[in-house]
Amino acid sequence: MLTESEMLRYSRHLLLEDVGELGQKDLKNGKVLIIGMGGLGSPAAMYLAGAGVGSLVLCDFDCLEVSNLQRQIGYQTGDIGGDKVELMKHRLEMINPEIRVRSINQEMAEDQLLMELMMVNLVLDCTDNMASRQMINAACVKAKVPLIVGAAIRLEGQLMFFDHRQADSACYHCLFPNSDEQALNCSNSGVLGPVVGTIGTMQALEAIKHLVGLPSGVKNKLKLFDGKTLDWQTFAVKKDSECSVCGKNR
Amino acid sequence: MNIFVNEQALEVAPDCNIEELLEVLDKPLQGTAVAVNQNILSRSLWGDYFLQEGDQISLFQAIAGG
Ligand SMILES: [Zn+2]
């Protein structure tokens, strides 16, 4: 049952045929782990908090720097030097006191991540480096937890959704098997705030749809966003039977 | 034989596979993803797929930023 204050707060969801009271309860029961509280994690976490996702777990180990503020919209200048997860936890609690927010202020090793995965329905990869992305993917494959991956650089974005509950799901490693290369990141290449914000917002949209049971537009797909033309390209990603993470040889 | 690579027309020799195409284009094999007609082609299949007339090839890099 939703309380009276929840009915008021979520009235614009309750008007939607695709969400309604049942969908709002699904959101309330949702448990989402968001890894990375930067340009992707800021809008993703704030939208999910606003939407009433009942339990959010935030993970990051960075302190806020002045160069983050150009794109990481959850923070303010006075926050510089603070721990991002604690700042964001406070921010989310100000947005919506009806939800529970927990912070993990460290880089998780795989065994700790696997423990955390037992307590959530969904993971958003909002990180900024390839090693973390591969580790999160491998853990989500093992734990059979759905994973929504976002990435952005310059004026380009990438969005994927792998539902690891399904045995035939592709995985991040099927798509990008070479993890040791120097992948492009925001500090070596630059990025426009609204580009990374668009991808983080799409991760939140897909997360809400997943929790209320709506079909996804990106499962086993890779979407590329071009911030210059505003065009989206869509590619189908099939499970690679030779994949060392999800394939037959794992 | 004519194909398209990232929407640019390109003439390639017949019996050219994806690995050979990347060599011709001087693209690194590491960290590149390849799609043929909007379907991602797994790294393990690059040697097995021979380009067909009119194929739309998309090449792009993994990006890690966030
Ligand atoms: Zn895989």
Side-chain angles (χ1 to χ4, degrees), chain A residues 10-82:
Chain A
Y10 305 122
S11 59
R12 298 304 184 272
H13 281 170
L14 304 180
L15 289 169
L16 288 172
E17 206 178 312
D18 286 322
V19 181
E21 198 169 342
L22 280 179
Q24 193 62 50
K25 284 182 202 155
D26 291 335
L27 290 172
K28 189 174 177 176
N29 292 328
K31 300 181 175 70
V32 180
L33 170 62
I34 308 174
I35 308 176
M37 280 297 120
L40 297 166
S42 285
M46 290 195 292
Y47 274 123
L48 294 187
V53 174
S55 172
L56 293 174
V57 184
L58 315 178
C59 180
D60 204 310
F61 56 93
D62 277 343
C63 293
L64 188 72
E65 295 176 27
V66 67
S67 63
N68 299 147
L69 292 168
Q70 156 261 11
R71 64 193 182 283
Q72 301 181 13
I73 51 158
Y75 310 108
Q76 305 176 64
T77 300
D79 295 336
I80 290 168

Side-chain angles (χ1 to χ4, degrees), chain A residues 38-40 127-130 133 151-153 156 158 175-178 180-181 183-186 222 224 234-237 240 242, chain B residues 6-7 29-46 56-66:
Chain A
L40 297 166
T127 60
D128 61 358
N129 67 88
M130 191 51 79
R133 291 177 180 282
I153 207 72
E156 302 155 38
Q158 297 182 348
L175 181 60
F176 296 123
N178 305 112
D180 45 345
E181 83 275 2
L184 301 172
N185 65 46
C186 293
L222 164 67
L224 296 188
T234 307
F235 301 98
V237 187
D240 179 3
E242 306 293 322
Chain B
N6 292 347
E7 296 174 359
L29 300 188
Q30 293 263 317
T32 298
V34 177
V36 179
N37 301 323
Q38 279 67 56
N39 291 290
I40 300 290
L41 193 69
S42 301
R43 178 71 187 82
S44 56
L45 301 175
W46 288 1
Q56 307 265 359
I57 307 298
S58 308
L59 304 178
F60 48 88
Q61 297 291 122
I63 59 181

Side-chain angles (χ1 to χ4, degrees), chain B residues 3-61:
Chain B
I3 62 165
F4 297 88
V5 177
N6 292 347
E7 296 174 359
Q8 303 284 313
L10 181 75
E11 197 173 343
V12 291
D15 300 326
C16 178
N17 67 28
I18 295 289
E19 268 173 12
E20 290 160 348
L21 174 69
L22 292 178
E23 275 163 38
V24 168
L25 294 171
D26 202 22
K27 291 273 179 192
L29 300 188
Q30 293 263 317
T32 298
V34 177
V36 179
N37 301 323
Q38 279 67 56
N39 291 290
I40 300 290
L41 193 69
S42 301
R43 178 71 187 82
S44 56
L45 301 175
W46 288 1
D48 301 335
Y49 183 84
F50 290 90
L51 296 167
Q52 313 274 312
E53 179 75 33
D55 270 351
Q56 307 265 359
I57 307 298
S58 308
L59 304 178
F60 48 88
Q61 297 291 122

Side-chain angles (χ1 to χ4, degrees), chain A residues 171 173-174 243 245-246:
Chain A
C171 84
H173 190 269
C174 295
C243 176
V245 173
C246 76

